[in-house]
Amino acid sequence: MRQISKILFAIFLSTAVGCSSSEDNNGSQQPAGGPSVTAVTVVETRATSADVQAQVTDAGDTPVTDRGFVYGTSPLPNLNDFATENGAGTGTFSATLDGLQPNTTYYVRAYAINIDAATGNERISYSADKQFQTTAAPALPTVNTLQVTDIKQISAKASGQLVSAGGSSIVELGICFAEATGSVTPTINNWKVPALETAGTFIVTLKGITNNAQWILPGKTYRYRAYARNQEGNVGYGETVEFTNNTNFIMEGPNCTDASGNTYETLILADGIWMTSNLKTTIFSTNNTPLTFAARNSAWWGNINTNSSRYTNPGDASGNVSVHGHLYNGYAAFNTAGLTPVNVPQQTTWRIPTKTDWDNLIAYLGGSAVAGKKLKKPGTWLNDGSNSDDSSGFGAVASGSIGNNGVHVNFGRNAFFWVNDSQNLQAMALSAESSAAAVGPIANLNMVAGISVRCVRDY
């Protein structure tokens, strides 16, 4: 809503020089040579707005330069009251009158303006006065906040229940939440998670927010409450509930075993159960078919175009496998027969981590600038100084990689892990070079590259 102030000197001048102007009892006004405007049709009224429509049927003796609606709480509003601007020319035009008060009588007129060619002055025509009343303000939606459940390291499930829509349809239900500092009471201007439902009981997961890692973190207390927003824009809130995330930052997870019989310890980090050492299976999980071992250099390179699943040993000796696991090409890592452990009855399956899995882990450890140090296992990185402390327990070792030419490079200096991304073939990198405390960017790779595999599953 905006208020437009126009000088009505033109009307006074046109009268003073003898130009005629007609006005009926309903407030319709048309200066000689001015436009013709029909009465306003009020299409729909609401508590705080109304939709209106009118038509310029005749431009007069010069083109219409402005048209719109004027409105207010007194009869015969003009351009000194609230007004809209809705283009120029003849024909039908419409507008929404915003900022109205509920249950209030308003008056609206359409207007159109052209220019007197002889004097250069504006000629303003008004339609007849139209009266309408806004509807009563709908009641606020009513919701109940229900108890939080399933609190994990970076998430919790919270639910609510819609009791009443407040006389208008609901467009959004959800939970808003904030860290419990001072007297803060969460609103939708804090963190919020909308539900899929717009009626009844709903449940949402309070978790990381894209590009803004605002999580339910261990050791912190949070306040949350249900909210409902209706079509009028009115928001109702439920009771505020407080809870503390008493989970540990790092928790021991259940061991897992691959198809070759290798057992791996695991840790729960950022709501994922991560293996704490690299995969070293030589058998596919679902059909017990052995993978093909390829010596490096010519043997790896000689079969580069066969699209076959291959693995090899890191470093210079098979004894490194106990610490470093095997290096797998993309054909092995993403073979539908599967490399990942399968002994997780009645639970979610193991997977090669997605980019989201890695992003959650890195953010949980403080971000890419410092996460590398917390991931790397001391003693396995050359010239790494104090940039390895493995405070996360992840145990990343510098296994290097097999390049497209079959050459093993950067053993002791880098680690690469396959990333399961349906759009791009990618790897997550750790480095012992400059900025060694950081996690390197996720980079695109060729399927023939040989790198490490870590597995994760949901907690």
Side-chain angles (χ1 to χ4, degrees):
M1 181 180 68
R2 56 199 178 97
Q3 193 169 20
I4 302 173
S5 178
K6 291 183 177 288
I7 300 174
L8 301 182
F9 176 72
I11 298 176
F12 167 79
L13 180 62
S14 64
T15 303
V17 297
C19 293
S20 63
S21 175
S22 61
E23 182 171 348
D24 61 25
N25 292 332
N26 290 322
S28 177
Q29 178 179 318
Q30 181 181 350
S36 298
V37 191
T38 64
V40 175
T41 298
V42 178
V43 178
E44 182 180 358
T45 59
R46 293 174 290 274
T48 60
S49 63
D51 297 331
V52 293
Q53 188 178 85
Q55 183 179 14
V56 178
T57 56
D58 187 346
D61 58 18
T62 58
V64 171
T65 59
D66 296 282
R67 65 187 186 184
F69 300 91
V70 291
Y71 58 102
T73 55
S74 298
L76 304 180
N78 57 46
L79 284 166
N80 286 327
D81 296 302
F82 295 107
T84 68
E85 290 181 336
N86 302 107
T90 59
T92 300
F93 59 100
S94 59
T96 297
L97 312 182
D98 290 317
L100 309 182
Q101 295 299 312
N103 200 28
T104 301
T105 298
Y106 283 88
Y107 300 86
V108 59
R109 295 198 292 177
Y111 74 89
I113 301 174
N114 69 8
I115 304 298
D116 188 324
T119 65
N121 295 321
E122 290 183 338
R123 291 182 295 206
I124 306 173
S125 296
Y126 290 103
S127 71
D129 212 6
K130 181 72 173 182
Q131 177 181 317
F132 68 93
Q133 185 162 345
T134 53
T135 61
L140 290 177
T142 304
V143 285
N144 289 332
T145 305
L146 305 180
Q147 287 298 313
V148 71
T149 60
D150 199 18
I151 301 172
K152 296 181 179 178
Q153 286 174 329
I154 62 171
S155 67
K157 294 188 183 299
S159 56
Q161 181 182 44
L162 178 67
V163 177
S164 170
S168 177
S169 59
I170 294 296
V171 297
E172 184 176 297
L173 279 175
I175 299 290
C176 55
F177 64 105
E179 189 175 346
T181 57
S183 59
V184 64
T185 298
T187 72
I188 59 173
N189 294 321
N190 298 110
W191 309 332
K192 69 171 184 175
V193 182
L196 296 176
E197 299 85 355
T198 55
T201 300
F202 60 92
I203 185 168
V204 300
T205 299
L206 312 183
K207 197 175 180 180
I209 298 174
T210 304
N211 298 324
N212 191 4
Q214 299 161 341
W215 285 332
I216 304 299
L217 291 172
K220 292 185 178 292
T221 300
Y222 297 88
R223 296 187 187 123
Y224 74 97
R225 55 179 177 166
Y227 72 89
R229 181 169 61 87
N230 64 22
Q231 191 174 28
E232 293 290 335
N234 297 315
V235 180
Y237 293 97
E239 307 84 355
T240 299
V241 179
E242 189 171 290
F243 73 95
T244 300
N245 185 347
N246 289 318
T247 58
N248 295 320
F249 195 84
I250 301 170
M251 297 186 293
E252 184 177 333
N255 290 351
C256 65
T257 305
D258 64 29
S260 295
N262 301 300
T263 298
Y264 305 86
E265 294 182 350
T266 69
L267 286 178
I268 301 170
L269 292 164
D271 283 4
I273 302 178
W274 290 83
M275 290 168 36
T276 58
S277 56
N278 294 343
L279 193 70
K280 45 184 177 281
T281 187
T282 59
I283 300 174
F284 285 117
S285 301
T286 59
N287 58 16
N288 291 320
T289 302
L291 284 79
T292 301
F293 176 82
R296 297 186 296 277
N297 300 326
S298 60
W300 190 281
W301 175 255
N303 294 282
I304 193 171
N305 294 318
T306 64
N307 295 352
S308 62
S309 300
R310 299 194 172 276
Y311 77 96
T312 194
N313 299 328
D316 297 323
S318 61
N320 288 319
V321 173
S322 62
V323 175
H324 291 268
H326 290 302
L327 303 178
Y328 302 88
N329 68 8
Y331 299 111
F334 302 109
N335 192 297
T336 56
L339 293 178
T340 59
V342 294
N343 61 333
V344 191
Q346 310 302 320
Q347 298 185 50
T348 56
T349 57
W350 291 93
R351 61 180 178 270
I352 292 177
T354 64
K355 184 177 184 299
T356 298
D357 292 323
W358 285 112
D359 287 345
N360 282 349
L361 177 61
I362 291 167
Y364 188 64
L365 297 178
S368 59
V370 298
K373 179 176 180 178
K374 299 176 182 180
L375 291 168
K376 293 189 294 182
K377 185 175 182 177
T380 67
W381 299 79
L382 299 176
N383 304 317
D384 199 37
S386 60
N387 286 311
S388 305
D389 66 18
D390 199 21
S391 56
S392 68
F394 186 85
V397 292
S399 305
S401 62
I402 307 295
N404 295 351
N405 59 0
V407 176
H408 189 198
V409 295
N410 293 320
F411 185 77
R413 293 188 178 277
N414 294 97
F416 298 91
F417 301 92
W418 283 114
V419 177
N420 189 0
D421 188 311
S422 60
Q423 302 301 316
N424 298 290
L425 193 65
Q426 295 183 318
M428 206 283 292
L430 290 171
S431 174
E433 306 302 325
S434 60
S435 302
V439 175
I442 288 178
N444 294 335
L445 285 186
N446 191 296
M447 287 285 280
V448 299
I451 63 174
S452 301
V453 170
R454 281 294 178 99
C455 301
V456 68
R457 72 173 175 87
D458 294 333
Y459 169 45

